C-alpha cells in the first residue's frame, strides 16, 4: 500500500486497534473505506470482538513487560478498571441487548 498521508496518519490507530489496512479495491461490506479529497485511499478491516480483547491484553502485557499473570494484585486491579472502562466486560450481555433492540414494539414478549 502506498504511503499516502492518510495511510501514515491512521496507521498508528489501526495498529492500536488490531485492525488491518487494505487497498480500497479489496474492501468488503464490513470494511471502512477512507477517502481523501474525494478519492478512496484505503480500507480498514476492523477486528472481530474476540480478537479485540486478545489484542488489548497483548498490548497490556507489552506495556508492563511481563505476562499479566505475574503482575501484583494492585497492577491487576488497575488493568481490570482499564478493561472495564473500555467495555471489555460488557459483551457478555450482547445477546440480551440485541434481542431488546431488535424486538418490535408490537410484540414485547420477544424481549423476555
Amino acid at each position: 500500500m502506498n504511503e499516502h498521508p492518510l495511510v501514515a496518519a491512521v496507521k498508528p490507530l489501526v495498529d492500536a486497534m488490531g485492525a488491518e489496512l487494505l487497498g480500497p479495491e479489496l474492501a468488503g461490506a464490513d470494511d471502512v473505506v477512507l477517502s481523501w479529497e474525494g478519492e478512496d485511499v484505503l480500507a480498514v478491516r476492523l477486528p472481530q470482538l474476540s480478537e479485540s480483547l486478545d489484542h488489548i491484553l497483548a498490548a497490556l502485557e507489552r506495556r508492563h513487560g511481563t505476562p499479566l499473570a505475574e503482575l501484583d494484585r494492585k497492577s491487576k486491579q488497575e488493568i481490570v478498571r482499564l478493561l472495564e472502562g473500555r467495555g471489555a466486560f460488557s459483551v457478555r450481555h450482547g445477546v440480551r441487548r440485541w434481542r431488546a433492540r431488535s424486538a418490535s414494539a408490537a410484540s414485547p414478549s420477544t424481549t423476555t
Side-chain angles (χ1 to χ4, degrees):
M1 174 165 304
N2 66 9
E3 198 58 27
H4 188 281
L6 184 58
V7 174
V10 300
K11 187 165 180 6
L13 176 61
V14 169
D15 290 345
M17 294 177 359
E20 180 183 357
L21 290 176
L22 308 166
E25 71 282 357
L26 300 174
D30 293 333
D31 298 329
V32 179
V33 177
L34 301 177
S35 300
W36 182 280
E37 297 180 350
E39 175 190 351
D40 291 345
V41 176
L42 65 115
V44 177
R45 181 159 293 154
L46 301 172
Q48 298 295 314
L49 287 175
S50 60
E51 295 170 2
S52 295
L53 182 56
D54 290 339
H55 189 78
I56 291 168
L57 293 172
L60 288 168
E61 285 185 333
R62 284 192 303 277
R63 182 186 306 166
H64 287 275
T66 186
L68 298 178
E70 296 177 9
L71 294 175
D72 61 39
R73 180 183 169 108
K74 182 179 179 197
S75 296
K76 287 180 181 179
Q77 289 172 335
E78 290 172 5
I79 287 174
V80 167
R81 281 192 292 278
L82 180 134
L83 292 170
E84 195 169 43
R86 293 185 70 179
F89 305 120
S90 64
V91 176
R92 181 174 142 232
H93 302 290
V95 172
R96 183 174 3 146
R97 291 197 329 239
W98 158 248
R99 286 180 60 205
R101 285 198 170 199
S102 66
S104 73
S107 56
S109 62
T110 60
T111 61
T112 59

